[in-house]
Amino acid sequence: MCPVTDAPDREYTDDYPEKTLYIPGPTEVREDVIEEMAQPMFGHRMDRMTDLYTTIVEDTKDFLDTDNEVIILTGSGTEFWEASTLNLVDEKILVPTCGSFSERHANVAERLGKDVDRLEYEWGEAIKPEDVREAIEESDNEYDVVASVMNESSTGVRNPIEEIGDVVAEYPDTYFVVDAVSALGGDYVDIDEHNIDVIFTSTQKAFAMPPGLAICVVSSEAYEREIEKDSASWYGGFQRCLDYYDRKGQTHSTPAIPIMLAYRKQMKHMLEEGHHARDERHREMTEYVHEWAREHFDLFAEEGYRSQTVSCIENTQGIDVAATIEEVSAEYDMVFSNGYGSQLGEKTFRIGHMGEHDLESIRELTEAIEDVAGL
Ligand SMILES: Cc1ncc(COP(=O)(O)O)c(C=O)c1O
C-alpha cells in the first residue's frame, strides 16, 4: 500500500538566493554551459542528435586520453554500479570497502544476487594493493570482478587505483571496475596503462556539468566478456550501448538532450584547459585546503591517500558544524558539507574543491569559515 501523506499543500517558489557550491557535487557550472541547455528541443533520432552524441563521446575519449570506448547514458553514476555488476559478474565479486559509497557498491551487488566478498577497512583508511592480491589469492582466483572506489567521497580518501589495477592485471580472468564518481575530471588517471576495464563517473562532479548523465569508459575485454552473458543489464549493457553507437552514433533510448548540449560546451572548455592542467589546478587547491586544515583542524583521511577533489576535515576544535554551515550559507551565500551520515556528521566536515573552482574561490570559502567559526 502507498504511504498516505498528510503534508500540507506547499506552494513552490524559486525565490532562493544563489549559493556557490563547495559540496562534493553538484558543483559550480559555468554560465555559458547553463545557457546552452535553453534551446528548442530536437528528436533523438535526428542527424543533429548524431552530431551531438558523437561529438561528446569522441571529445570525452580525447580528454581522458583513452583508446577504450565511452558510453554517456542518462542517469547518474549509480547506474554503473548496477550495470557493471550485471555485465561482468557471474558469481563472485570482491569489493574493498572503506566508506559509505564503496559499501553501497557492495550492497548493490548483493541485491543483484552476486556472491560478494568485502575487504573491509576502517573509514578513513585506504585500500592497499597487497591486500587485494592476498584476497584474490585466498579465493583461489575466483573473482569475476574487483570493484574499487577511486575517491571515497564520504571520507576524503583517494585510493591507489593505479597500483590496484596493476595487481588485478596479474589475473586475466578478473575484471577491474572503478567507481571514479567525484574524482574523474579533477584527478588524472591513466586508464589504459593500469588495466582499468570499467571506470565511471557522473556529470555533476569534477566534470562541472549539470547532473543527469553518467559517463562510463569500457575496455574491449569488458565488452567481449559481456557478450558471453545473457543476464547483462539491458539499459546499461555495454554491448547494446556501444553497438548502437557504432551503427547510429546515438543512444539506444531517449537521452537528456539539454544536459548533452551543456556537456558539449563544457567539454570544449575542458579540452582547452587539458587534462593535465586541470589535474594541476586541482592539486594546487588540494594543497591549499590541506595546509589550511592542518593549521586549524586536521585531515580525516589516511596520510598519503588524500583526495584531490574532496577534503574531509576532522573537527578537532569541536565547532558546531551544522550551525557553521548554516551561517556561512546565510552570510556569504556559500555552501559546504557536513560529515557523511550519522557516523561522521559533526566529527568532520567536507569541502568540495572540484570542477571549475580555483585557489581564489577556495580561499573565499576558507576565509568565510574562519570568520564564522572565529578561527
Ligand atoms: C564515490 C561515489 N560513488 C557513487 C556516487 C553516486 O553517484 P550519483 O549520485 O551520481 O549516482 C557518489 C555520489 O556522491 C559518490 O561520491
Side-chain angles (χ1 to χ4, degrees):
M1 206 172 40
C2 276
V4 179
T5 151
D6 53 4
D9 283 348
R10 265 187 79 155
E11 201 167 312
Y12 184 78
T13 170
D14 279 322
D15 192 18
Y16 290 99
E18 255 182 51
K19 305 280 175 187
T20 307
L21 301 177
Y22 297 88
I23 55 178
T27 183
E28 288 296 293
V29 180
R30 288 167 182 258
E31 205 58 50
D32 64 347
V33 172
I34 291 175
E35 281 164 8
E36 205 62 17
M37 290 189 286
Q39 294 191 36
M41 213 28 58
F42 49 90
H44 66 296
R45 297 292 172 237
M46 290 180 171
D47 289 347
R48 195 173 162 188
M49 186 66 222
T50 309
D51 282 355
L52 173 60
Y53 190 57
T54 54
T55 300
I56 62 174
V57 166
E58 298 307 318
D59 281 357
T60 305
K61 284 187 206 172
D62 268 6
F63 175 78
L64 294 176
D65 198 16
T66 180
D67 291 331
N68 290 350
E69 297 303 328
V70 165
I71 299 169
I72 300 169
L73 209 53
T74 300
S76 70
T78 295
E79 164 59 21
F80 283 104
W81 280 336
E82 283 199 350
S84 61
T85 304
L86 284 169
N87 295 345
L88 300 178
V89 182
D90 257 334
E91 283 183 25
K92 279 182 82 90
I93 175 170
L94 177 70
V95 187
T97 55
C98 57
S100 176
F101 292 99
S102 42
E103 175 51 39
R104 218 182 281 180
H105 196 153
N107 184 250
V108 166
E110 273 168 351
R111 283 174 177 234
L112 296 172
K114 308 302 177 187
D115 184 354
V116 180
D117 280 348
R118 286 174 174 72
L119 177 58
E120 289 181 46
Y121 292 88
E122 293 283 320
W123 284 35
E125 285 180 4
I127 302 163
K128 309 297 179 313
E130 57 276 17
D131 295 344
V132 173
R133 180 185 282 107
E134 205 178 304
I136 297 175
E137 289 291 335
E138 269 175 21
S139 79
D140 272 339
N141 190 11
E142 280 196 336
Y143 294 116
D144 295 317
V145 161
V146 171
S148 170
V149 68
M150 179 167 166
N151 222 28
E152 184 38 90
S153 321
S154 60
T155 62
V157 163
R158 198 299 197 173
N159 286 306
I161 54 147
E162 291 86 349
E163 288 85 348
I164 299 169
D166 294 342
V167 166
V168 180
E170 294 167 26
Y171 305 89
D173 294 334
T174 302
Y175 296 81
F176 186 38
V177 171
V178 175
D179 165 359
V181 177
S182 88
L184 207 62
D187 184 347
Y188 187 88
V189 52
D190 191 334
I191 297 168
D192 302 6
E193 178 68 24
H194 297 285
N195 189 50
I196 299 173
D197 289 296
V198 175
I199 184 165
F200 57 89
T201 187
S202 323
T203 42
Q204 76 276 13
K205 306 281 185 174
F207 274 59
M209 299 172 188
L213 297 171
I215 307 153
C216 185
V217 184
V218 181
S219 71
S220 51
E221 289 82 3
Y223 173 91
E224 293 295 335
R225 156 78 177 178
E226 187 204 307
I227 293 172
E228 292 169 17
K229 296 169 56 56
D230 53 13
S231 57
S233 165
W234 199 104
Y235 187 74
F238 300 148
Q239 186 186 5
R240 174 167 283 100
C241 295
L242 293 171
D243 289 355
Y244 212 93
Y245 181 70
D246 243 18
R247 280 187 287 118
K248 310 233 178 191
Q250 296 172 351
T251 51
H252 58 57
S253 52
T254 321
I257 294 171
I259 321 286
M260 289 191 171
L261 289 165
Y263 193 122
R264 182 178 56 182
K265 187 77 177 178
Q266 172 64 1
M267 193 40 76
K268 298 292 178 213
H269 288 302
M270 288 168 70
L271 283 167
E272 203 173 306
E273 182 178 23
H275 201 170
H276 285 290
R278 208 170 164 82
D279 177 75
E280 189 49 38
R281 179 165 54 78
H282 282 77
R283 195 187 313 280
E284 272 175 24
M285 288 191 284
T286 307
E287 277 166 13
Y288 170 76
V289 173
H290 285 187
E291 206 173 300
W292 179 82
R294 277 192 216 96
E295 189 184 333
H296 299 288
F297 302 95
D298 207 347
L299 286 148
F300 183 71
E302 184 177 349
E303 187 151 15
Y305 300 95
R306 288 172 180 159
S307 162
Q308 195 166 282
T309 51
V310 181
S311 287
C312 184
I313 296 167
E314 198 172 339
N315 181 13
T316 49
Q317 297 219 29
I319 64 166
D320 184 332
V321 170
T324 307
I325 290 172
E326 214 161 286
E327 224 172 305
V328 168
S329 170
E331 280 185 35
Y332 291 91
D333 288 328
M334 298 174 185
V335 188
F336 64 105
S337 272
N338 56 353
Y340 198 90
S342 53
Q343 203 168 329
L344 295 181
E346 282 283 322
K347 230 176 113 186
T348 63
F349 60 92
R350 292 171 302 155
I351 296 177
H353 34 86
M354 65 172 89
E356 295 308 301
H357 279 298
D358 57 19
L359 266 185
E360 197 181 327
S361 68
I362 294 298
R363 204 172 275 130
E364 282 169 12
L365 174 71
T366 55
E367 282 170 9
I369 298 174
E370 281 174 32
D371 180 38
V372 166
L375 301 177

